[in-house]
Amino acid sequence: MALLEEWRKVAYDQQADQGKLQAFWQRYFLLEKGIYEQLLTNPDEKVEGTVKELAEKYGLSIQDMTGFLDGINESLIDPNPIETMEEDTHVSLAFDKEKLYKNMVDAKADWLYELPQWESIYDEETRKRLYLEQKKSGTVVVGKKVGRNEPCPCGSGKKYKFCCGR
């Protein structure tokens, strides 16, 4: 069975005791935060190796490393083959800084996008701009409704009700 399948079976188990599942996620989020603190301290460092090597480097189990790779995959410059990944699969953690920040905002992971390491990567104004860009990306803006007796927006010169409003 592929590592990702095993990870998802444990992490998203609907039959699991909710207390145990909550404890599982709290422990995982602390481990995840620790890895991000290390990665963001030197964001341009090329971190790569097998899944097993990276798990050992960061002091994680193979399963926890698989979860981390699943979470960061959308933020990577070149995504890893996480669906078919095994312990000896070579992976890279080279991430796109802007994409990573926005994905953390999108996931509502304030414990990650508020890490102090971001301050040495982006100034406060840039972080605020990226935050707002991400928040606005999911917002649908509906234009002003055209009234029946107003000129048609197509430019025909007719009233809307006699033109495009039919």
Side-chain angles (χ1 to χ4, degrees):
M1 184 184 316
L3 292 175
L4 186 65
E5 201 175 318
E6 290 176 28
W7 160 257
R8 288 182 175 164
K9 199 181 333 179
V10 173
Y12 304 108
D13 185 6
Q14 297 297 318
Q15 281 74 44
D17 174 49
Q18 291 304 307
K20 286 182 182 176
L21 199 57
Q22 187 174 4
F24 168 84
W25 280 107
Q26 284 179 330
R27 182 190 62 78
Y28 172 76
F29 289 146
L30 283 174
L31 296 172
E32 178 185 48
K33 182 179 177 183
I35 298 172
Y36 278 120
E37 286 171 342
Q38 292 177 51
L39 286 174
L40 294 172
T41 299
N42 193 355
D44 298 318
E45 178 186 357
K46 194 172 186 179
V47 179
E48 53 184 40
T50 65
V51 176
K52 187 175 184 174
E53 291 168 349
L54 290 178
E56 290 169 1
K57 176 180 179 170
Y58 292 107
L60 302 176
S61 68
I62 298 292
Q63 188 178 51
D64 289 332
M65 190 68 216
T66 302
F68 181 80
L69 289 166
D70 184 27
I72 197 174
N73 207 45
E74 287 183 15
S75 305
L76 298 177
I77 295 168
D78 296 313
N80 291 313
I82 59 168
E83 296 292 334
T84 58
M85 190 168 60
E86 295 297 336
E87 285 185 29
D88 60 346
T89 304
H90 191 272
V91 292
S92 170
L93 295 181
F95 58 91
D96 178 312
K97 293 181 270 261
E98 192 170 303
K99 210 187 281 188
L100 179 63
Y101 188 84
K102 287 181 175 183
N103 285 339
M104 288 174 170
V105 170
D106 189 42
K108 297 177 178 66
D110 57 340
W111 66 94
L112 296 176
Y113 67 78
E114 290 177 355
L115 284 171
Q117 287 81 355
W118 281 111
E119 294 169 15
S120 62
I121 298 171
Y122 293 126
D123 60 26
E124 187 176 347
E125 189 177 304
T126 304
R127 290 193 314 273
K128 190 178 273 188
R129 177 182 57 80
L130 293 173
Y131 180 88
L132 290 174
E133 279 178 19
Q134 181 57 41
K135 287 295 187 184
K136 287 180 181 177
S137 70
T139 306
V140 177
V141 179
V142 179
K144 183 181 173 275
K145 187 175 176 183
V146 180
R148 292 173 30 88
N149 289 315
E150 291 179 23
C152 190
C154 77
S156 67
K158 297 179 183 178
K159 287 187 178 184
Y160 179 70
K161 65 182 176 186
F162 293 121
C163 190
C164 294
R166 287 186 168 194

